[in-house]
Amino acid sequence: HQLVGGATRKLSDGMKIRGDINICLMGDPGVAKSQLLKHMTTVSPRSVYTTGKGSSGVGLTAAVTRDKITGEITLEGGALVLADMGICCIDEFDKMEDSDRT
């Protein structure tokens, strides 16, 4: 369950409109934006915290990897996948590469 959000709607033609919301926290340095995000991950039952410095677009969505032991190809979910129906906190979004923000 989300802590905040809108209502999901299903139209008569079967199209589904998500009720999810996105929040962007902006402010001067030192006003506890990062602490607020970290605290949200402790409050929400399903949440992931990551930083823009260490994240790429692949790290946020999913990555195809090869298992070193078996050689099988696997799909590993990223932060957005792991936080499905929950909260994904991305700190320092401005530190990400421009190509990874889209």
Side-chain angles (χ1 to χ4, degrees), residues 1-4 44-46 85-87:
H1 294 29
Q2 278 189 285
L3 301 175
V4 294
S44 175
R46 175 178 275 182
M85 300 301 291
I87 296 176

Side-chain angles (χ1 to χ4, degrees), residues 51-53 90-98 101:
T51 62
K53 284 183 187 176
I90 306 171
D91 198 7
E92 298 180 349
F93 195 74
D94 60 318
K95 305 287 191 297
M96 291 179 74
E97 295 290 328
D98 288 338
R101 291 186 206 173

Side-chain angles (χ1 to χ4, degrees), residues 4 6-7 10 12 15 31-32 50-51 55 62 68 78 84 89 92 94-95 99:
V4 294
K10 189 168 184 182
S12 59
M15 186 170 147
V31 294
T50 186
T51 62
S55 295
K68 292 181 182 181
D84 185 36
C89 298
E92 298 180 349
D94 60 318
K95 305 287 191 297
S99 61

Side-chain angles (χ1 to χ4, degrees), residues 7 18 24 44 51 61 66 70 74 76 88:
R18 295 181 303 168
C24 179
S44 175
T51 62
T61 54
R66 185 174 298 274
T70 64
T74 60
E76 293 183 14
C88 182

Side-chain angles (χ1 to χ4, degrees), residues 9-99:
R9 294 184 358 202
K10 189 168 184 182
L11 303 179
S12 59
D13 62 358
M15 186 170 147
K16 185 177 173 184
I17 299 175
R18 295 181 303 168
D20 304 339
I21 63 170
N22 299 305
I23 299 172
C24 179
L25 298 176
M26 295 187 295
D28 293 328
V31 294
K33 298 179 297 293
S34 296
Q35 286 78 9
L36 179 62
L37 290 177
K38 288 177 185 175
H39 181 69
M40 288 306 299
T41 61
T42 64
V43 173
S44 175
R46 175 178 275 182
S47 61
V48 175
Y49 175 87
T50 186
T51 62
K53 284 183 187 176
S55 295
S56 65
V58 171
L60 292 176
T61 54
V64 176
T65 59
R66 185 174 298 274
D67 189 292
K68 292 181 182 181
I69 297 172
T70 64
E72 293 179 334
I73 294 176
T74 60
L75 185 64
E76 293 183 14
L80 293 173
V81 174
L82 296 174
D84 185 36
M85 300 301 291
I87 296 176
C88 182
C89 298
I90 306 171
D91 198 7
E92 298 180 349
F93 195 74
D94 60 318
K95 305 287 191 297
M96 291 179 74
E97 295 290 328
D98 288 338
S99 61

